[in-house]
Amino acid sequence: MVCLGNICRSPLAEGILQEKAFKAGLSWSVESAGTNSYHTGEPPHPLSQKVAKLNGIDISQQRARRFKADDFDIYDKIYALADDVMEEMKKIARNKFDAAKTNLLMNELYPGKNMDVPDPWYGPEPGYHEVYKMIDQVCEKIIEKYTVTNQRFANI
Ligand code: 4NP
């Protein structure tokens, strides 16, 4: 899960998908990063932490780190939370950028719409709630997709 600062949106995405995967019995390791290093080493934004906590998810132990080209060697799937983030990922990863592993997160819910998860950084608390809702819905869809696939395999 990749955003710009790795303190507002992608920590929520990491926490939400990790929690849903765990509850669905999927042994996924979900992590997050940012394309800039302004906040490297910092915990998630207090309002991201607050909104997560209100929804029963603790993201306080996360620490921001910068996205790197080698992430394409490590992860099976890499989601950009917004299109400007995707462009930065291409610049950072250069020849390691793998389009087959990458997607805009919201395309999992609204295929082909190329919708961004808006950056709540400059705004007040309601923006964080809105972002939480969007990420929660798309993560639910991702879990559905992979659990349905598993069931199909189990039936063969
Ligand atoms: P995020 O939000 O990408 O959702 O973590 C931002 C946080 C900080 C900055 C930009 C976006 N910043 O420029 O410091």
Side-chain angles (χ1 to χ4, degrees), residues 2-11 33-36 38-39 45 48 81 85 117-122 128 131:
V2 187
C3 66
L4 292 176
N6 193 206
I7 55 163
C8 299
R9 292 166 291 177
S10 61
T35 53
N36 71 42
Y38 301 154
H39 299 280
H45 190 285
S48 285
L81 279 272
V85 172
V117 176
D119 192 346
W121 167 251
Y122 300 99
Y128 288 80
V131 160

Side-chain angles (χ1 to χ4, degrees), residues 6-8 11 42-49 59-63:
N6 193 206
I7 55 163
C8 299
E42 292 178 21
H45 190 285
L47 288 173
S48 285
Q49 290 196 46
I59 60 169
S60 64
Q61 299 308 307
Q62 292 185 32
R63 294 295 177 266

